[in-house]
């Protein structure tokens, strides 16, 4: 579904430092995994999806600027500080050049890369937006030729740019770790429950069937908006800040505690407002709003699944993933409860990311609390393919 474009370097490729980067252009945030060189340490970045033009960036602002353009484009934390909110209606592919170069520039700065370097890049987009990939690729390659990130000039002289549908990283990982004979004879369905989009990828005989794969805007934000509708005085951003994820532990035979998976919930206490006399009433209202949203959001999703899922008797395995999956996991298990095929999650990949990142205990707790183990699983699977990482 993607092609590759290569720019010939002006200096020997062997002397050009190279990045391998996967960027998940999410609406709630941009999530990235990357490696420097063939044996570099796995690292991640999470950044604001907001891009804000300005005539004069202040202080230590993070921005992108092109030589022929008088406008500066705030990215990352500087863009987030403008208080602009990402639009749900805006396509993820919009402003793709500034968003991508904001990530690449930050990595280049943090890794102390020289002015010229190489890049293998894969961008994850909803399958419904992949028709824009040739235009986006041309615009990116133009931007790679010369750009300034926060005062540093860069030029990407050896590049490979690919576009993949959301969910393809998880798909690639499962296929890579599955017996070849099963791949050729079985049908797989990948369900990606993201913030803006919910997507279904259908894989037959080891190949993606793009015509039968689907994407919808019934993402997690719909669930948040339902809670807002049925509560009082809350906004989508309030609920997002109240979401917390935790590790689920199990005890091994040797009595060692290990992480078996992850759970997510909305911490109602963080949303309760008002005086002491009204706090209990507020808590009851929010609890009821969440219950109503649970039922109505799943009704939306199940109607979509009924319309687009292939006959389950023809499907051998279904894998569900994405940051919204934890909130509807009980519904997913119930929906496929009588199905005789294999139902699985991306938890194995999420655990693998934690292990490979080798974070400090404090950084790991923050990583888990922000649900990044689950939200980065798709990018991890894609980076394994892109950089040919052994698993």
């Amino acid at each position: 579904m993607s092609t590759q474009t290569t720019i010939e370097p002006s200096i020997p490729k062997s002397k050009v430092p190279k990045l391998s980067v996967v960027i998940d252009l999410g609406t709630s945030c941009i999530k990235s995994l990357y490696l420097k060189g063939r044996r570099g340490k796995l690292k991640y970045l999470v950044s604001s999806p907001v891009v804000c033009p300005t005539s004069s960036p202040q202080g230590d602002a993070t921005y992108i600027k092109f030589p022929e353009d008088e406008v500066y484009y705030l990215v990352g934390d500087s863009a987030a500080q403008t208080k602009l909110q990402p639009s749900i209606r805006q396509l993820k592919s919009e402003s793709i050049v500034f968003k991508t170069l904001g990530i690449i520039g930050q990595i280049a700065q943090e890794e102390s890369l020289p002015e010229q370097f190489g890049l293998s890049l894969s961008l994850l987009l909803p399958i419904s937006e992949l028709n824009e990939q040739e235009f986006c690729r041309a615009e990116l390659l133009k931007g790679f030729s010369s750009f300034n990130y926060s005062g540093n000039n860069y030029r990407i002289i050896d590049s490979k740019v690919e576009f993949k549908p959301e969910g393809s990283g998880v798909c690639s990982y499962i296929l890579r770790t599955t017996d070849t004979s099963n791949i050729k004879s079985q049908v797989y369905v990948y369900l990606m429950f993201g913030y803006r989009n919910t997507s279904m990828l259908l894989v037959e005989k080891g190949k993606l069937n793009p015509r039968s794969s689907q994407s919808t805007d019934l993402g997690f934000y719909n669930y948040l908006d339902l809670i807002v509708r049925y509560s009082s005085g809350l906004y989508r951003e309030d609920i997002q800040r109240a979401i917390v994820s935790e590790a689920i532990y199990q005890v091994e035979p040797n009595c060692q505690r290990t992480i078996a998976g992850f759970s997510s919930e909305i911490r109602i206490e963080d949303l309760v407002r008002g005086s002491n006399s009204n706090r209990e009433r507020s808590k009851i209202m929010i609890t009821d709003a969440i219950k109503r949203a649970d039922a109505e959001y799943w009704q939306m999703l199940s109607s979509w699944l009924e319309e687009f899922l292939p006959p389950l008797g023809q499907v051998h395995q279904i894998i569900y993933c994405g940051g919204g999956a934890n909130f509807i996991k009980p519904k997913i298990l119930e929906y496929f409860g009588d199905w005789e095929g294999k139902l699985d999650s991306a938890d194995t990949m999420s655990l693998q990311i934690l292990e490979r990142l080798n974070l400090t205990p404090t950084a790991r707790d923050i990583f888990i609390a922000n649900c990044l183990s689950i939200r980065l699983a798709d990018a991890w699977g894609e980076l394994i393919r892109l950089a040919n990482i052994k698993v």
Side-chain angles (χ1 to χ4, degrees):
M1 292 189 63
S2 64
T3 59
Q4 299 177 2
T5 303
T6 302
I7 297 177
E8 293 298 327
S10 56
I11 59 177
K13 289 185 180 181
S14 60
K15 296 184 179 180
V16 177
K18 194 158 189 175
L19 295 174
S20 296
V21 185
V22 176
I23 300 178
D24 185 345
L25 292 164
T27 301
S28 59
C29 64
I30 301 173
K31 304 170 287 294
S32 310
L33 285 173
Y34 69 94
L35 297 169
K36 177 185 175 183
R38 297 184 63 182
R39 299 182 180 180
K41 179 183 177 183
L42 177 68
K43 296 183 181 180
Y44 78 96
L45 278 180
V46 176
S47 180
S48 168
V50 174
V51 175
C52 179
T54 181
S55 58
S56 57
Q58 303 297 314
D60 58 353
T62 52
Y63 61 82
I64 292 294
K65 185 181 183 300
F66 297 118
E68 71 282 1
D69 197 341
E70 295 183 359
V71 179
Y72 298 79
Y73 297 88
L74 298 179
V75 292
D77 290 341
S78 296
Q81 289 168 9
T82 64
K83 304 301 181 182
L84 288 176
Q85 294 297 324
S87 172
I88 290 296
R89 295 184 179 276
Q90 186 181 52
L91 296 178
K92 291 184 178 181
S93 56
E94 291 187 39
S95 303
I96 193 170
V97 175
F98 305 111
K99 294 174 184 177
T100 301
L101 291 182
I103 295 294
I104 302 303
Q106 183 177 349
I107 294 173
Q109 190 176 77
E110 292 183 0
E111 296 295 329
S112 300
L113 292 182
E115 181 177 340
Q116 298 183 7
F117 59 92
L119 174 68
S120 289
L121 173 66
S122 183
L123 296 123
L124 298 170
L125 288 171
I127 196 167
S128 58
E129 294 185 33
L130 288 181
N131 289 334
E132 292 287 318
Q133 63 178 293
E134 293 307 325
F135 171 79
C136 292
R137 179 181 288 105
E139 292 297 299
L140 281 169
L141 293 176
K142 190 188 303 180
F144 288 172
S145 63
S146 180
F147 69 97
N148 184 291
Y149 175 79
S150 304
N152 296 306
N153 292 316
Y154 293 110
R155 179 176 173 229
I156 299 173
I157 62 172
D158 177 24
S159 66
K160 179 179 72 174
V161 181
E162 299 180 276
F163 292 82
K164 296 289 183 176
E166 291 177 340
S168 63
V170 175
C171 169
S172 174
Y173 179 91
I174 298 297
L175 295 180
R176 180 181 285 253
T177 55
T178 301
D179 183 82
T180 305
S181 60
N182 288 339
I183 293 173
K184 292 182 178 180
S185 62
Q186 295 185 353
V187 176
Y188 297 79
V189 169
Y190 298 82
L191 297 175
M192 168 65 72
F193 298 98
Y195 182 82
R196 176 175 174 257
N197 298 90
T198 293
S199 300
M200 181 197 75
L201 301 185
L202 179 65
V203 175
E204 300 172 313
K205 298 180 180 180
K207 295 183 178 181
L208 178 69
N209 182 336
R211 291 188 177 183
S212 297
S213 298
Q214 302 287 336
S215 185
T216 175
D217 63 356
L218 291 176
F220 187 67
Y221 80 92
N222 290 275
Y223 175 68
L224 302 180
D225 287 350
L226 285 169
I227 298 174
V228 169
R229 181 189 304 173
Y230 296 130
S231 57
S232 178
L234 293 180
Y235 297 92
R236 189 190 296 163
E237 295 74 24
D238 298 326
I239 305 168
Q240 285 180 250
R241 287 191 291 268
I243 292 175
V244 64
S245 297
E246 296 179 342
I248 300 172
Y249 289 90
Q250 65 181 9
V251 180
E252 301 290 344
N254 60 2
C255 297
Q256 182 179 358
R257 291 176 77 232
T258 59
I259 300 176
F262 306 90
S263 64
S264 302
E265 67 173 358
I266 298 171
R267 196 153 45 193
I268 296 176
E269 291 76 11
D270 293 352
L271 300 174
V272 175
R273 299 173 179 174
S275 61
N276 290 336
S277 59
N278 290 324
R279 289 183 66 83
E280 188 59 32
R281 185 171 66 87
S282 175
K283 184 175 181 179
I284 292 172
M285 178 180 289
I286 295 169
T287 301
D288 289 343
I290 291 174
K291 288 180 179 178
R292 291 186 67 179
D294 286 342
E296 290 193 26
Y297 182 50
W298 179 251
Q299 182 59 50
M300 295 179 189
L301 289 176
S302 60
S303 296
W304 181 78
L305 289 172
E306 288 170 9
E307 182 175 358
F308 291 107
L309 271 178
L312 291 181
Q314 300 174 11
V315 179
H316 299 86
Q317 186 172 359
I318 295 175
I319 301 94
Y320 60 93
C321 52
N326 270 352
F327 287 87
I328 55 173
K329 184 175 180 179
K331 298 289 188 181
I332 294 173
L333 297 179
E334 181 182 352
Y335 186 85
F336 295 107
D338 296 329
W339 176 55
E340 296 182 356
K342 182 180 180 182
L343 180 65
D344 204 356
S345 69
D347 279 356
T348 298
M349 300 174 66
S350 300
L351 293 170
Q352 201 171 70
I353 295 170
L354 266 184
E355 180 182 346
R356 294 295 182 101
L357 284 172
N358 196 27
L359 302 170
T360 65
T362 300
R364 190 180 73 162
D365 289 344
I366 295 172
F367 189 82
I368 293 173
N370 289 322
C371 199
L372 290 174
S373 297
I374 296 168
R375 297 165 75 188
L376 279 167
D378 198 26
W380 170 236
E382 180 59 18
L383 186 63
I384 289 171
R385 184 202 64 80
L386 182 71
N388 197 26
I389 299 171
K390 292 183 178 180
V391 291

